[in-house]
Amino acid sequence: MKLKYEFSVNQVCGVWCAVAVGKSASKFSGVISLNETAADMMKYLAEDITEDELVQKMLTEYDVPEADLRRDVQAFIEKLKSENVLC
């Protein structure tokens, strides 16, 4: 899976957000509000990655039980799919 569009992920006034950039901005004109964990996931999703690979990468950064992290990753993936930004 991979993001359909190119996003810039930045922290603005203490809030993480993703904004489509370049040619992607004409196809997706919204702003995605993120927490820090979701911001990290967005960066990994810029490349083609499987759900399992994403979970493993996130486990190297966060000291949480794998089952909890996997649940959060799955929820975030479903949210991105519902917004039509993930293929």
Side-chain angles (χ1 to χ4, degrees):
M1 77 191 131
K2 182 179 177 181
L3 293 170
K4 287 183 179 181
Y5 311 110
E6 182 182 353
F7 286 92
S8 176
V9 177
N10 294 295
Q11 192 174 32
V12 179
C13 297
V15 177
W16 285 97
C17 59
V19 178
V21 294
K23 293 180 182 179
S24 296
S26 66
K27 297 174 185 169
F28 183 84
S29 60
V31 175
I32 302 172
S33 179
L34 308 164
N35 63 23
E36 184 176 352
T37 306
D40 288 340
M41 284 191 267
M42 285 289 285
K43 293 173 188 174
Y44 288 126
L45 289 166
E47 303 296 326
D48 196 18
I49 190 170
T50 67
E51 183 179 310
D52 287 335
E53 290 170 332
L54 180 55
V55 169
Q56 291 308 309
K57 286 182 179 285
M58 297 300 291
L59 282 171
T60 66
E61 296 185 31
Y62 294 92
D63 185 23
V64 297
E66 182 175 345
D68 293 345
L69 182 60
R70 185 169 297 279
R71 183 190 67 240
D72 292 344
V73 166
Q74 289 170 341
F76 187 61
I77 288 170
E78 288 307 311
K79 177 65 174 167
L80 292 178
K81 285 181 180 178
S82 74
E83 297 294 329
N84 201 30
V85 298
L86 192 64
C87 51

Coordinates of all heavy atoms in Angstrom, one line a residue:
M1 N 0.8 -1.2 0.0 CA 0.0 0.0 0.0 C 0.9 1.2 0.0 O 2.0 1.2 0.4 CB -0.9 0.0 1.2 CG -0.3 0.3 2.5 SD -1.5 0.0 3.9 CE -0.3 -0.9 4.9
K2 N 0.3 2.3 -0.5 CA 1.1 3.6 -0.6 C 0.1 4.7 -0.7 O -1.0 4.5 -1.2 CB 1.9 3.4 -1.9 CG 2.8 4.6 -2.2 CD 3.6 4.4 -3.4 CE 4.5 5.6 -3.7 NZ 5.2 5.5 -4.9
L3 N 0.6 5.9 -0.3 CA -0.3 7.1 -0.5 C -0.4 7.4 -2.0 O 0.5 7.2 -2.8 CB 0.4 8.3 0.2 CG 0.5 8.2 1.7 CD1 1.4 9.3 2.2 CD2 -0.9 8.3 2.3
K4 N -1.7 7.8 -2.3 CA -1.9 8.1 -3.7 C -1.3 9.5 -4.1 O -1.1 9.7 -5.3 CB -3.5 8.2 -4.0 CG -4.2 6.9 -4.0 CD -5.6 7.1 -4.3 CE -6.4 5.8 -4.3 NZ -7.8 6.1 -4.6
Y5 N -1.1 10.3 -3.1 CA -0.7 11.7 -3.4 C 0.6 12.0 -2.6 O 0.9 11.3 -1.6 CB -1.8 12.7 -3.0 CG -3.1 12.3 -3.5 CD1 -4.1 11.9 -2.7 CD2 -3.4 12.4 -4.9 CE1 -5.4 11.6 -3.2 CE2 -4.6 12.1 -5.4 CZ -5.6 11.6 -4.6 OH -6.9 11.3 -5.1
E6 N 1.3 13.0 -3.0 CA 2.5 13.4 -2.3 C 2.0 14.4 -1.2 O 1.3 15.4 -1.5 CB 3.4 14.1 -3.3 CG 4.7 14.6 -2.6 CD 5.7 15.3 -3.6 OE1 5.4 15.3 -4.8 OE2 6.6 15.8 -3.1
F7 N 2.4 14.1 0.0 CA 2.1 15.0 1.1 C 3.3 15.6 1.8 O 4.3 14.9 1.9 CB 1.3 14.2 2.2 CG -0.1 13.9 1.8 CD1 -0.4 12.7 1.2 CD2 -1.2 14.7 2.1 CE1 -1.7 12.4 0.8 CE2 -2.5 14.4 1.7 CZ -2.7 13.2 1.1
S8 N 3.1 16.8 2.3 CA 4.1 17.3 3.2 C 3.5 17.2 4.6 O 2.4 17.6 4.8 CB 4.3 18.8 2.8 OG 5.2 19.4 3.8
V9 N 4.3 16.6 5.5 CA 3.9 16.4 6.8 C 4.7 17.3 7.7 O 5.9 17.2 7.8 CB 4.0 14.9 7.3 CG1 3.6 14.7 8.7 CG2 3.2 14.0 6.3
N10 N 4.0 18.2 8.4 CA 4.7 19.2 9.3 C 3.9 19.5 10.5 O 2.7 19.2 10.6 CB 4.9 20.5 8.5 CG 5.8 20.4 7.3 OD1 7.0 20.1 7.5 ND2 5.2 20.5 6.1
Q11 N 4.6 20.0 11.5 CA 4.0 20.5 12.7 C 3.8 22.0 12.6 O 4.7 22.7 12.3 CB 4.8 20.1 13.9 CG 4.1 20.3 15.2 CD 4.9 19.8 16.4 OE1 6.1 19.9 16.4 NE2 4.2 19.3 17.4
V12 N 2.5 22.4 12.7 CA 2.2 23.8 12.6 C 1.5 24.3 13.9 O 0.4 23.7 14.2 CB 1.3 24.1 11.4 CG1 0.9 25.6 11.3 CG2 1.9 23.6 10.1
C13 N 2.1 25.2 14.6 CA 1.5 25.7 15.9 C 1.2 24.5 16.8 O 0.1 24.5 17.5 CB 0.3 26.5 15.6 SG 0.6 28.0 14.7
G14 N 2.1 23.5 16.9 CA 1.9 22.4 17.8 C 1.0 21.3 17.3 O 0.8 20.3 18.0
V15 N 0.5 21.4 16.1 CA -0.4 20.4 15.5 C 0.2 19.8 14.3 O 0.6 20.5 13.4 CB -1.8 21.0 15.1 CG1 -2.7 20.0 14.5 CG2 -2.4 21.6 16.4
W16 N 0.3 18.5 14.2 CA 0.8 17.8 13.0 C -0.3 17.8 11.9 O -1.5 17.6 12.2 CB 1.2 16.3 13.4 CG 2.4 16.3 14.1 CD1 2.6 16.2 15.5 CD2 3.8 16.3 13.6 NE1 3.9 16.1 15.8 CE2 4.7 16.2 14.6 CE3 4.3 16.4 12.3 CZ2 6.0 16.2 14.4 CZ3 5.6 16.4 12.1 CH2 6.5 16.3 13.2
C17 N 0.1 18.0 10.7 CA -0.8 18.0 9.6 C -0.2 17.5 8.3 O 1.1 17.7 8.2 CB -1.5 19.3 9.4 SG -0.4 20.7 9.0
A18 N -0.9 17.0 7.4 CA -0.5 16.6 6.1 C -1.2 17.4 5.1 O -2.5 17.4 5.1 CB -0.7 15.1 5.9
V19 N -0.5 17.9 4.1 CA -1.1 18.8 3.1 C -0.5 18.2 1.7 O 0.7 18.0 1.6 CB -0.7 20.2 3.2 CG1 -1.2 21.1 2.1 CG2 -1.1 20.8 4.6
A20 N -1.4 18.0 0.8 CA -1.0 17.6 -0.5 C -0.1 18.7 -1.2 O -0.5 19.9 -1.1 CB -2.2 17.2 -1.4
V21 N 0.9 18.3 -1.9 CA 1.8 19.3 -2.5 C 2.0 18.9 -4.0 O 1.7 17.8 -4.4 CB 3.2 19.3 -1.8 CG1 3.0 19.9 -0.4 CG2 3.9 18.0 -1.8
G22 N 2.5 19.9 -4.7 CA 2.8 19.7 -6.1 C 1.5 19.4 -6.9 O 0.4 19.9 -6.6
K23 N 1.6 18.5 -7.9 CA 0.4 18.1 -8.7 C -0.7 17.5 -7.9 O -1.8 17.5 -8.2 CB 0.8 17.2 -9.8 CG 1.7 17.9 -10.9 CD 2.1 16.9 -12.0 CE 3.1 17.6 -12.9 NZ 3.5 16.7 -14.0
S24 N -0.3 16.9 -6.8 CA -1.3 16.2 -5.9 C -2.2 17.2 -5.3 O -3.4 16.9 -5.0 CB -0.5 15.5 -4.7 OG 0.3 14.4 -5.3
A25 N -1.8 18.5 -5.1 CA -2.7 19.5 -4.5 C -3.9 19.7 -5.3 O -5.0 20.1 -4.8 CB -1.9 20.8 -4.3
S26 N -3.9 19.5 -6.6 CA -5.1 19.7 -7.4 C -6.0 18.6 -7.4 O -7.2 18.7 -7.7 CB -4.7 20.0 -8.9 OG -4.1 18.8 -9.5
K27 N -5.5 17.4 -6.8 CA -6.4 16.2 -6.7 C -6.9 16.0 -5.3 O -7.9 15.4 -5.1 CB -5.6 15.0 -7.2 CG -5.2 15.1 -8.6 CD -4.3 13.9 -9.0 CE -3.8 14.1 -10.4 NZ -2.7 13.2 -10.7
F28 N -6.2 16.5 -4.3 CA -6.6 16.4 -2.9 C -6.4 17.8 -2.3 O -5.3 18.2 -2.1 CB -5.8 15.3 -2.2 CG -6.3 15.2 -0.8 CD1 -7.3 14.3 -0.5 CD2 -5.6 15.8 0.3 CE1 -7.8 14.2 0.8 CE2 -6.1 15.7 1.6 CZ -7.1 14.8 1.9
S29 N -7.5 18.4 -2.0 CA -7.4 19.8 -1.5 C -7.7 20.0 0.0 O -8.1 21.0 0.4 CB -8.3 20.7 -2.3 OG -9.6 20.3 -2.2
G30 N -7.5 18.9 0.7 CA -7.8 19.0 2.2 C -6.5 19.0 3.0 O -5.4 18.9 2.5
V31 N -6.7 19.1 4.3 CA -5.6 19.0 5.3 C -6.0 17.9 6.2 O -7.1 17.8 6.7 CB -5.5 20.3 6.1 CG1 -4.4 20.2 7.2 CG2 -5.1 21.5 5.1
I32 N -5.0 17.0 6.4 CA -5.3 15.9 7.3 C -4.6 16.2 8.7 O -3.4 16.4 8.7 CB -4.7 14.6 6.7 CG1 -5.4 14.3 5.4 CG2 -4.9 13.4 7.7 CD1 -4.8 13.1 4.7
S33 N -5.4 16.3 9.7 CA -4.8 16.5 11.0 C -4.4 15.2 11.6 O -5.0 14.2 11.5 CB -5.9 17.1 11.9 OG -5.5 17.4 13.2
L34 N -3.2 15.2 12.2 CA -2.5 14.0 12.7 C -2.0 14.2 14.1 O -1.7 15.3 14.5 CB -1.3 13.7 11.8 CG -1.5 13.6 10.3 CD1 -0.2 13.7 9.6 CD2 -2.3 12.4 9.9
N35 N -1.9 13.0 14.8 CA -1.1 13.0 16.0 C 0.3 12.6 15.6 O 0.6 12.3 14.4 CB -1.7 12.1 17.1 CG -1.7 10.7 16.7 OD1 -1.0 10.2 15.9 ND2 -2.6 9.9 17.3
E36 N 1.3 12.6 16.5 CA 2.7 12.4 16.2 C 2.8 11.0 15.6 O 3.6 10.8 14.7 CB 3.5 12.5 17.5 CG 5.0 12.3 17.2 CD 5.8 12.6 18.4 OE1 5.3 13.0 19.5 OE2 7.0 12.3 18.3
T37 N 2.1 10.0 16.1 CA 2.2 8.6 15.6 C 1.8 8.5 14.2 O 2.4 7.9 13.3 CB 1.4 7.6 16.5 OG1 1.9 7.8 17.9 CG2 1.7 6.2 16.1
A38 N 0.6 9.2 13.9 CA 0.1 9.2 12.5 C 1.0 9.9 11.6 O 1.2 9.5 10.4 CB -1.3 9.8 12.5
A39 N 1.7 11.0 12.1 CA 2.6 11.7 11.2 C 3.8 10.8 10.8 O 4.2 10.8 9.7 CB 3.1 12.9 12.0
D40 N 4.3 10.0 11.8 CA 5.3 9.0 11.4 C 4.8 8.0 10.4 O 5.5 7.7 9.5 CB 5.8 8.3 12.7 CG 6.6 9.2 13.6 OD1 7.2 10.2 13.1 OD2 6.8 8.9 14.8
M41 N 3.6 7.5 10.6 CA 3.1 6.5 9.6 C 2.9 7.1 8.3 O 3.2 6.5 7.3 CB 1.7 6.0 10.1 CG 1.8 5.0 11.3 SD 0.3 4.2 11.6 CE -0.4 5.2 12.9
M42 N 2.5 8.4 8.2 CA 2.4 9.1 6.9 C 3.7 9.1 6.1 O 3.8 8.9 4.9 CB 1.9 10.5 7.0 CG 0.4 10.6 7.3 SD -0.7 10.2 6.0 CE -0.5 11.6 4.9
K43 N 4.8 9.3 6.8 CA 6.1 9.4 6.2 C 6.5 8.0 5.6 O 7.0 7.9 4.5 CB 7.1 9.8 7.2 CG 6.9 11.3 7.6 CD 7.8 11.7 8.8 CE 7.5 13.1 9.3 NZ 8.2 13.5 10.5
Y44 N 6.2 6.9 6.4 CA 6.4 5.6 5.9 C 5.5 5.2 4.7 O 6.0 4.5 3.8 CB 6.3 4.5 7.0 CG 7.4 4.6 8.0 CD1 7.1 4.7 9.4 CD2 8.7 4.5 7.7 CE1 8.0 4.7 10.3 CE2 9.7 4.6 8.6 CZ 9.4 4.7 9.9 OH 10.4 4.7 10.9
L45 N 4.3 5.7 4.7 CA 3.4 5.4 3.6 C 3.7 6.1 2.3 O 3.0 5.9 1.3 CB 1.9 5.7 4.1 CG 1.4 4.7 5.1 CD1 0.1 5.2 5.8 CD2 1.2 3.3 4.5
A46 N 4.6 7.0 2.3 CA 5.0 7.7 1.1 C 5.7 6.6 0.1 O 5.7 6.8 -1.1 CB 6.0 8.8 1.4
E47 N 6.2 5.6 0.7 CA 6.8 4.5 -0.1 C 5.8 3.3 0.0 O 5.0 3.1 0.9 CB 8.1 4.1 0.5 CG 9.1 5.2 0.5 CD 9.5 5.8 -0.9 OE1 9.6 4.9 -1.8 OE2 9.7 7.0 -1.0
D48 N 6.0 2.4 -1.0 CA 5.1 1.2 -1.0 C 5.6 0.3 0.2 O 6.8 0.0 0.3 CB 5.3 0.4 -2.3 CG 4.3 -0.6 -2.5 OD1 3.2 -0.6 -1.9 OD2 4.5 -1.5 -3.4
I49 N 4.6 0.0 1.1 CA 4.9 -0.8 2.3 C 3.7 -1.6 2.7 O 2.6 -1.2 2.4 CB 5.3 0.2 3.4 CG1 5.8 -0.5 4.7 CG2 4.1 1.1 3.8 CD1 6.4 0.5 5.7
T50 N 4.0 -2.8 3.2 CA 2.9 -3.6 3.7 C 2.5 -3.2 5.1 O 3.3 -2.5 5.8 CB 3.3 -5.1 3.7 OG1 4.3 -5.3 4.7 CG2 3.8 -5.6 2.4
E51 N 1.3 -3.7 5.5 CA 0.9 -3.4 6.9 C 1.9 -3.9 7.9 O 2.2 -3.3 8.9 CB -0.5 -3.9 7.1 CG -1.1 -3.6 8.5 CD -2.5 -4.2 8.7 OE1 -3.3 -3.9 7.8 OE2 -2.7 -4.8 9.7
D52 N 2.3 -5.2 7.7 CA 3.3 -5.8 8.6 C 4.6 -5.0 8.7 O 5.1 -4.8 9.8 CB 3.5 -7.2 8.2 CG 2.4 -8.2 8.5 OD1 1.5 -7.8 9.4 OD2 2.2 -9.2 7.9
E53 N 5.1 -4.6 7.5 CA 6.3 -3.8 7.5 C 6.1 -2.5 8.3 O 7.0 -2.0 9.0 CB 6.7 -3.5 6.1 CG 7.2 -4.7 5.3 CD 7.4 -4.4 3.9 OE1 6.7 -3.6 3.3 OE2 8.3 -5.1 3.3
L54 N 5.0 -1.8 8.1 CA 4.7 -0.6 8.8 C 4.7 -0.8 10.3 O 5.2 -0.1 11.1 CB 3.3 0.0 8.4 CG 2.9 1.3 9.0 CD1 4.0 2.4 8.9 CD2 1.6 1.8 8.4
V55 N 4.0 -1.9 10.8 CA 4.0 -2.2 12.2 C 5.4 -2.4 12.7 O 5.7 -1.9 13.8 CB 3.1 -3.5 12.4 CG1 3.2 -4.0 13.9 CG2 1.6 -3.1 12.2
Q56 N 6.2 -3.2 12.0 CA 7.5 -3.4 12.5 C 8.4 -2.2 12.6 O 9.1 -2.0 13.5 CB 8.2 -4.5 11.6 CG 7.7 -5.9 11.6 CD 7.6 -6.4 13.1 OE1 8.5 -6.3 13.8 NE2 6.4 -6.8 13.5
K57 N 8.2 -1.3 11.6 CA 9.0 0.0 11.6 C 8.5 0.8 12.8 O 9.3 1.4 13.5 CB 8.8 0.8 10.3 CG 9.6 0.2 9.2 CD 9.4 1.1 7.9 CE 10.2 0.5 6.8 NZ 11.6 0.8 6.9
M58 N 7.2 0.9 13.1 CA 6.7 1.7 14.2 C 7.1 1.1 15.5 O 7.4 1.8 16.5 CB 5.2 1.7 14.1 CG 4.7 2.5 12.8 SD 5.2 4.2 12.7 CE 4.3 4.9 14.1
L59 N 7.3 -0.3 15.6 CA 7.7 -0.9 16.8 C 9.1 -0.5 17.2 O 9.5 -0.5 18.4 CB 7.6 -2.4 16.7 CG 6.2 -3.0 16.9 CD1 6.2 -4.5 16.6 CD2 5.7 -2.7 18.3
T60 N 9.9 -0.1 16.2 CA 11.3 0.3 16.5 C 11.3 1.7 17.1 O 12.3 2.1 17.7 CB 12.2 0.3 15.2 OG1 11.7 1.2 14.3 CG2 12.2 -1.1 14.6
E61 N 10.2 2.5 16.9 CA 10.2 3.8 17.4 C 9.3 4.0 18.6 O 9.5 5.0 19.4 CB 9.6 4.7 16.3 CG 10.5 4.8 15.1 CD 10.0 5.8 14.0 OE1 9.4 6.8 14.4 OE2 10.2 5.5 12.9
Y62 N 8.4 3.1 18.9 CA 7.5 3.2 20.0 C 7.5 2.0 20.9 O 7.5 0.9 20.4 CB 6.0 3.5 19.5 CG 5.9 4.8 18.8 CD1 6.1 4.9 17.4 CD2 5.6 6.0 19.5 CE1 5.9 6.1 16.8 CE2 5.5 7.2 18.9 CZ 5.6 7.3 17.5 OH 5.5 8.5 16.9
D63 N 7.6 2.2 22.2 CA 7.6 1.1 23.1 C 6.2 0.8 23.6 O 5.7 1.3 24.7 CB 8.5 1.5 24.3 CG 8.7 0.4 25.3 OD1 8.5 -0.8 24.9 OD2 9.0 0.6 26.5
V64 N 5.5 0.1 22.7 CA 4.1 -0.3 23.0 C 3.9 -1.7 22.6 O 4.6 -2.3 21.8 CB 3.1 0.6 22.2 CG1 3.2 2.0 22.6 CG2 3.3 0.5 20.7
P65 N 2.9 -2.4 23.2 CA 2.6 -3.8 22.8 C 2.3 -3.8 21.3 O 1.5 -3.0 20.8 CB 1.4 -4.2 23.7 CG 1.5 -3.3 24.9 CD 2.0 -2.0 24.3
E66 N 2.8 -4.9 20.7 CA 2.5 -5.0 19.2 C 1.0 -5.0 18.9 O 0.6 -4.4 17.9 CB 3.2 -6.2 18.7 CG 3.0 -6.4 17.2 CD 3.8 -7.5 16.6 OE1 4.7 -8.1 17.2 OE2 3.5 -7.9 15.4
A67 N 0.2 -5.7 19.7 CA -1.2 -5.8 19.4 C -1.9 -4.5 19.4 O -2.7 -4.2 18.6 CB -1.9 -6.8 20.4
D68 N -1.5 -3.6 20.4 CA -2.0 -2.2 20.5 C -1.6 -1.4 19.2 O -2.5 -0.7 18.6 CB -1.6 -1.5 21.7 CG -2.1 -2.2 23.0 OD1 -3.1 -3.0 22.9 OD2 -1.6 -1.8 24.1
L69 N -0.4 -1.5 18.9 CA 0.1 -0.8 17.7 C -0.5 -1.2 16.5 O -0.9 -0.4 15.6 CB 1.7 -0.9 17.6 CG 2.3 -0.1 16.5 CD1 2.0 1.4 16.6 CD2 3.8 -0.4 16.4
R70 N -0.7 -2.5 16.3 CA -1.3 -3.1 15.1 C -2.7 -2.6 15.0 O -3.2 -2.2 13.9 CB -1.3 -4.6 15.1 CG -1.8 -5.3 13.8 CD -1.5 -6.7 13.8 NE -0.1 -7.0 13.8 CZ 0.7 -7.0 12.7 NH1 0.1 -6.7 11.5 NH2 1.9 -7.3 12.7
R71 N -3.4 -2.5 16.1 CA -4.8 -2.0 16.1 C -4.8 -0.6 15.6 O -5.7 -0.2 14.8 CB -5.4 -2.2 17.5 CG -6.9 -1.7 17.5 CD -7.4 -1.7 19.0 NE -6.7 -0.6 19.7 CZ -6.0 -0.7 20.8 NH1 -5.9 -1.9 21.3 NH2 -5.4 0.3 21.3
D72 N -3.9 0.2 16.1 CA -3.9 1.6 15.7 C -3.5 1.8 14.3 O -4.0 2.7 13.6 CB -2.9 2.4 16.6 CG -3.4 2.5 18.1 OD1 -4.6 2.3 18.3 OD2 -2.5 2.8 18.9
V73 N -2.5 1.0 13.8 CA -2.1 1.0 12.4 C -3.3 0.7 11.5 O -3.6 1.4 10.5 CB -0.9 0.1 12.1 CG1 -0.7 -0.1 10.6 CG2 0.3 0.7 12.8
Q74 N -4.0 -0.4 11.8 CA -5.2 -0.8 11.0 C -6.2 0.3 11.0 O -6.8 0.6 10.0 CB -5.8 -2.1 11.6 CG -4.9 -3.3 11.3 CD -5.3 -4.5 12.0 OE1 -6.1 -4.5 13.0 NE2 -4.8 -5.7 11.6
A75 N -6.5 0.9 12.1 CA -7.5 2.0 12.2 C -7.1 3.2 11.3 O -7.9 3.8 10.6 CB -7.7 2.5 13.6
F76 N -5.8 3.5 11.4 CA -5.3 4.7 10.6 C -5.4 4.3 9.1 O -5.8 5.2 8.3 CB -3.9 5.0 11.0 CG -3.3 6.3 10.3 CD1 -4.0 7.5 10.5 CD2 -2.2 6.2 9.5 CE1 -3.5 8.6 9.9 CE2 -1.8 7.3 8.9 CZ -2.4 8.6 9.1
I77 N -5.0 3.1 8.7 CA -5.1 2.7 7.3 C -6.5 2.8 6.8 O -6.8 3.3 5.7 CB -4.5 1.3 7.2 CG1 -3.0 1.3 7.3 CG2 -4.9 0.6 5.8 CD1 -2.4 -0.1 7.4
E78 N -7.5 2.3 7.6 CA -8.9 2.4 7.2 C -9.4 3.8 7.1 O -10.1 4.1 6.1 CB -9.8 1.6 8.2 CG -9.6 0.1 8.2 CD -9.9 -0.4 6.8 OE1 -10.9 -0.1 6.1 OE2 -9.0 -1.2 6.3
K79 N -8.9 4.7 7.9 CA -9.2 6.1 7.8 C -8.7 6.7 6.5 O -9.4 7.4 5.8 CB -8.7 6.9 9.0 CG -8.9 8.4 9.0 CD -10.4 8.7 9.1 CE -10.6 10.2 9.2 NZ -12.0 10.6 8.9
L80 N -7.5 6.4 6.2 CA -6.9 6.9 5.0 C -7.6 6.3 3.7 O -7.8 7.1 2.7 CB -5.4 6.6 4.9 CG -4.5 7.3 5.9 CD1 -3.1 6.9 5.7 CD2 -4.6 8.8 5.7
K81 N -8.0 5.1 3.8 CA -8.8 4.5 2.7 C -10.1 5.2 2.5 O -10.5 5.5 1.4 CB -8.9 3.0 2.9 CG -7.7 2.2 2.6 CD -8.0 0.7 2.9 CE -6.7 -0.1 2.6 NZ -7.0 -1.6 2.9
S82 N -10.7 5.5 3.7 CA -12.1 6.2 3.6 C -11.9 7.6 3.0 O -12.9 8.1 2.4 CB -12.7 6.2 5.0 OG -12.1 7.1 5.8
E83 N -10.8 8.2 3.2 CA -10.5 9.5 2.6 C -10.0 9.4 1.2 O -9.7 10.5 0.6 CB -9.5 10.3 3.5 CG -10.0 10.6 4.9 CD -11.2 11.5 4.9 OE1 -11.3 12.4 4.0 OE2 -12.0 11.4 5.8
N84 N -9.8 8.2 0.7 CA -9.4 7.9 -0.7 C -8.0 8.5 -1.0 O -7.7 9.0 -2.0 CB -10.4 8.5 -1.7 CG -10.2 7.8 -3.1 OD1 -9.8 6.7 -3.1 ND2 -10.5 8.5 -4.1
V85 N -7.1 8.4 0.0 CA -5.7 8.8 -0.2 C -4.7 7.7 -0.1 O -3.5 7.9 -0.3 CB -5.3 9.9 0.8 CG1 -6.2 11.1 0.6 CG2 -5.3 9.4 2.2
L86 N -5.2 6.4 0.0 CA -4.3 5.3 0.1 C -4.7 4.2 -0.9 O -5.9 4.0 -1.1 CB -4.5 4.7 1.5 CG -3.4 3.6 1.9 CD1 -2.0 4.3 2.0 CD2 -3.8 3.1 3.3
C87 N -3.7 3.7 -1.6 CA -4.0 2.6 -2.6 C -3.3 1.4 -2.2 O -2.6 1.3 -1.3 CB -3.6 3.1 -4.0 SG -2.0 3.7 -4.2

